Amino acid sequence: MVILVLAATTWLAVRALQAKTELETSVSLVSQLRDQLVAQDVPGAEATLADLTPRVQHARELTSDPVWRVAEFTPVLGSNLTAVRELAAATDSIVVDAVPPLMEIVSDFVSDGLTTDDGALNTALFEAAIPRIDVAATTINAAVTTVDGIDTSNTIAQVTKAQATLADQLNALAPAMTQAQKVLPIVAPALGVDTPRTYLILFQNNAELRSLGGIPGSIVPLTLSKGSISLGDQLGKDDFSVYDASIVDAPDGVTELFQNAYGTSMLNSTVRPDFASGANIARTMWQEQVGTPIDGVIAIDPVALSYILRAGPPIQLSTGETMTGDNAVDLLVNKVYLRFSGETEASRAQQGAYFAEVINGLFGTIMGGDLDLKVLASGVAQAAEERRLLLWSSNEAETGVIESAHLGGALPQSDAQTDRIGLYTQDAIGSKMDYYLDQTVTLSQAACRADGRESYRVSVNNTNRLTKDQVDDLTFYIVGDGSEGVTAGDIRIDLFAYAPPGAEIVGLSVDGVAESVTAFHDGDYPVSRLRTTIEPGSTQNVTFDMVAGEPGTRDLAAILTPMVRATTLDSTALDCATVAAG
């Protein structure tokens, strides 16, 4: 018996050491494989997978023989052996069952390209990816369940750390797989594989801000049929009639909040910080005045376009300029108005022709197929994260996917853990001066009240980057025509602070001087509105004080208007001595 026990112990020790070596090597190879797939290095990934697969299979074999399984019943040692076996099995299933279909997807996109030889979007790639992503997602979700369920209460530090590391990696990956399962089935139909789709693209100009980003300066219909793209004629804001009252039903409080701008013009279709509302207005106006049925609406701004341009070759313009991802924003929201002043009908027509040339060049670049897919995917993801790319679809199934992907541009949604406020900025001149506007927002909170409701503060610093000696070099189209009594070079904006439903807005100050709070609302959201002016070279502070709707401590987050340059968002503690007693 002693000899058998010693033999078994030696057997376990040797196999455990071998399994440890194989798993440690596998961890580094998995990291290498991930980097290669992200870099679209398919040959490198295939070589790494060929090295990795036998290692994880060997680790699983080493930890699953009868001696190992019997030893799992021993005190202390057994829990470690069980954890290692389950980790080895999970790693093996991921490498053997989940990685190959993901590699096939990457390989197809790299080898076949995003477009076909006839210039259409390659819809077959997305259709072929559906069953592969299902296999990968199912395997990864099963591994999540296995790894999260491993009992590490009595395991040694190395095993505990290995379980935690793998669990973190899988829990970060699983939601992306689940999201891909939702998205991929709707891609081909959205590209017009079954029935042609027509989308309205709103090119928002955040040199003239609206709550969702900017005025829709150019509006272009895009039709997709079996992946083939055709662009309709570009229209501008002046091509649409202005209505006396909203063309769509206005939510409670919205007409008063936006001073009758909601739903009355294409220019102001993006005043309310809810893209479903804006899309409904734009679609309704288009269908009533142009007549083309619209299946969906897409909003994108120049910054998002610059992210996409990084993935392809530069656009050569008839003006002699070369547009790239690095200079696109300056050209589109500032220099075009220095080149074409807009003072005459002819110069305004030149502006329109310039934008049309850029739009055609952009789609030519995309359909040309000469794109770095990694850079493209990264750019689209960044644009979506910054709310510079917004989508709306008339298809209910697609609406759910858009919302889950955070592309719907909805009003701030609070939950049990986080209160989300909205701070939205809107031009109040009719100018392109917001190109010179920088913004810093600081959120602070503290439990200062006897009733247990937290106090929130939203502090906004708005800076006019323009210097006084630069004003004379600007065109009237940039500074405004002076008809509203605003001095050339001043930036005049409206700030809208949305408190969570149930909360209160209790204070407002400008540069430390208290202002009266006029109560507005957008449905269930309390809203404060302030019109303010920032002179050249100056910074102005605006502070909104709020009180949470319920007792308790929650995180505080903010949804902001995407500006030409990203707003800096900070958090700090709130000094209760500066808060009014409550």
Side-chain angles (χ1 to χ4, degrees):
M1 288 297 297
V2 171
I3 292 172
L4 286 175
V5 170
L6 287 173
T9 302
T10 303
W11 176 265
L12 283 172
V14 171
R15 294 176 76 82
L17 182 60
Q18 290 176 325
K20 175 178 178 293
T21 301
E22 293 287 32
L23 287 173
E24 287 178 342
T25 303
S26 297
V27 168
S28 63
L29 289 174
V30 167
S31 178
Q32 177 177 303
L33 178 63
R34 178 199 60 204
D35 294 341
Q36 289 168 328
L37 288 175
V38 170
Q40 304 170 39
D41 179 9
V42 175
E46 289 174 344
T48 300
L49 183 61
D51 187 12
L52 176 60
T53 302
R55 291 183 183 277
V56 296
Q57 290 177 328
H58 189 211
R60 186 169 192 167
E61 292 167 0
L62 289 167
T63 58
S64 58
D65 69 13
V67 175
W68 189 288
R69 296 302 295 270
V70 170
E72 291 182 20
F73 291 97
T74 61
V76 184
L77 176 63
S79 60
N80 286 279
L81 295 177
T82 299
V84 171
R85 173 176 57 80
E86 292 176 335
L87 287 171
T91 305
D92 177 58
S93 67
I94 294 167
V95 171
V96 173
D97 298 325
V99 172
L102 293 176
M103 283 187 60
E104 290 172 0
I105 294 172
V106 175
S107 179
D108 283 355
F109 272 88
V110 171
S111 61
D112 296 347
L114 192 61
T115 57
T116 61
D117 292 338
D118 59 359
L121 291 171
N122 195 345
T123 58
L125 289 176
F126 300 99
E127 294 175 304
I130 295 172
R132 294 168 178 168
I133 208 72
D134 284 341
V135 171
T138 300
T139 302
I140 289 170
N141 287 329
V144 168
T145 301
T146 297
V147 175
D148 284 350
I150 294 175
D151 183 4
T152 59
S153 57
N154 294 310
T155 56
I156 61 176
Q158 294 92 325
V159 175
T160 302
K161 181 180 179 181
Q163 185 275 340
T165 299
L166 185 57
D168 288 345
Q169 292 174 343
L170 290 175
N171 281 290
L173 180 60
M177 294 293 100
T178 300
Q179 186 65 25
Q181 280 185 293
K182 296 177 182 178
V183 171
L184 283 171
I186 71 168
V187 172
L191 296 178
V193 168
D194 302 319
T195 304
R197 298 279 193 96
T198 298
Y199 300 95
L200 202 60
I201 305 179
L202 308 180
F203 289 93
Q204 295 194 95
N205 186 341
N206 32 26
E208 186 172 345
L209 288 169
R210 293 294 182 267
S211 295
L212 284 170
I215 61 166
S218 298
I219 303 98
V220 181
L222 178 150
T223 300
L224 286 161
S225 179
K226 300 187 184 305
S228 296
I229 294 181
S230 60
L231 291 177
D233 292 335
Q234 170 189 302
L235 298 183
K237 56 184 177 59
D238 295 332
D239 293 311
F240 295 89
S241 301
V242 176
Y243 298 79
D244 293 330
S246 178
I247 194 173
V248 300
D249 291 338
D252 182 40
V254 164
T255 299
E256 295 77 17
L257 175 61
F258 296 107
Q259 301 175 316
N260 208 40
Y262 180 82
T264 56
S265 70
M266 184 67 78
L267 171 74
N268 287 320
S269 58
T270 51
V271 293
R272 185 175 185 242
D274 175 71
F275 187 59
S277 295
N280 186 32
I281 293 168
R283 177 198 193 204
T284 303
M285 287 186 178
W286 181 277
Q287 291 182 159
E288 182 169 300
Q289 298 188 38
V290 179
T292 311
I294 298 298
D295 300 295
V297 182
I298 303 167
I300 191 167
D301 72 5
V303 180
L305 292 179
S306 75
Y307 298 160
I308 294 172
L309 277 172
R310 294 172 188 166
I315 298 175
Q316 300 297 327
L317 301 174
S318 60
T319 57
E321 296 160 321
T322 299
M323 182 173 291
T324 68
D326 294 329
N327 67 3
V329 174
D330 285 344
L331 290 177
L332 289 170
V333 301
N334 184 249
K335 289 187 170 55
V336 61
Y337 304 115
L338 295 173
R339 179 185 290 271
F340 308 116
S341 67
E343 294 185 65
T344 65
E345 185 175 341
S347 65
R348 290 191 291 274
Q350 289 173 314
Q351 289 178 4
Y354 184 90
F355 290 125
E357 186 178 6
V358 170
I359 292 168
N360 287 327
L362 176 68
F363 280 95
T365 295
I366 293 173
M367 301 311 296
D370 187 17
L371 295 172
D372 185 321
L373 296 182
K374 175 187 173 183
V375 176
L376 178 63
S378 175
V380 171
Q382 184 177 356
E385 182 180 356
E386 296 174 2
R387 294 169 67 91
R388 300 183 185 279
L389 175 63
L390 303 173
L391 307 178
W392 174 85
S393 173
S394 61
N395 184 294
E396 291 186 6
E398 294 169 10
T399 297
V401 174
I402 289 169
E403 290 175 352
S404 66
H406 306 293
L407 289 167
L411 293 172
Q413 302 295 312
S414 297
D415 53 44
Q417 291 75 40
T418 305
D419 268 347
R420 293 180 175 85
I421 61 97
L423 180 70
Y424 306 105
T425 308
Q426 196 149 281
D427 179 81
I429 306 175
S431 72
K432 300 298 182 289
M433 282 297 298
D434 299 326
Y435 171 78
Y436 301 99
L437 178 64
D438 279 352
Q439 191 175 79
T440 299
V441 175
T442 302
L443 305 179
S444 53
Q445 63 188 114
C448 302
R449 299 170 54 91
D451 61 7
R453 294 188 295 161
E454 280 203 297
S455 296
Y456 298 150
R457 177 165 293 165
V458 184
S459 178
V460 190
N461 283 336
N462 291 306
T463 299
N464 185 339
R465 292 162 53 101
L466 196 67
T467 60
K468 292 183 182 296
D469 59 358
Q470 292 175 311
V471 175
D472 291 341
D473 295 329
L474 303 181
T475 62
F476 100 100
Y477 210 83
I478 293 177
V479 300
D481 61 9
S483 61
E484 298 185 63
V486 178
T487 302
D490 287 357
I491 295 175
R492 189 172 74 173
I493 54 175
D494 289 331
L495 291 174
F496 298 87
Y498 275 60
E504 300 175 60
I505 302 175
V506 297
L508 167 64
S509 65
V510 178
D511 287 334
V513 179
E515 301 272 347
S516 60
V517 178
T518 304
F520 293 94
H521 67 280
D522 181 341
D524 294 333
Y525 291 83
V527 185
S528 178
R529 186 187 73 204
L530 173 73
R531 175 162 292 184
T532 187
T533 301
I534 308 102
E535 297 179 354
S538 66
T539 296
Q540 182 188 78
N541 175 264
V542 177
T543 297
F544 298 94
D545 280 336
M546 305 178 183
V547 177
E550 298 178 355
T553 300
R554 298 171 187 81
D555 294 332
L556 186 61
I559 307 297
L560 310 172
T561 296
M563 303 173 70
V564 174
R565 288 167 297 280
T567 297
T568 301
L569 181 61
D570 296 319
S571 296
T572 187
L574 177 61
D575 181 1
C576 288
T578 66
V579 177

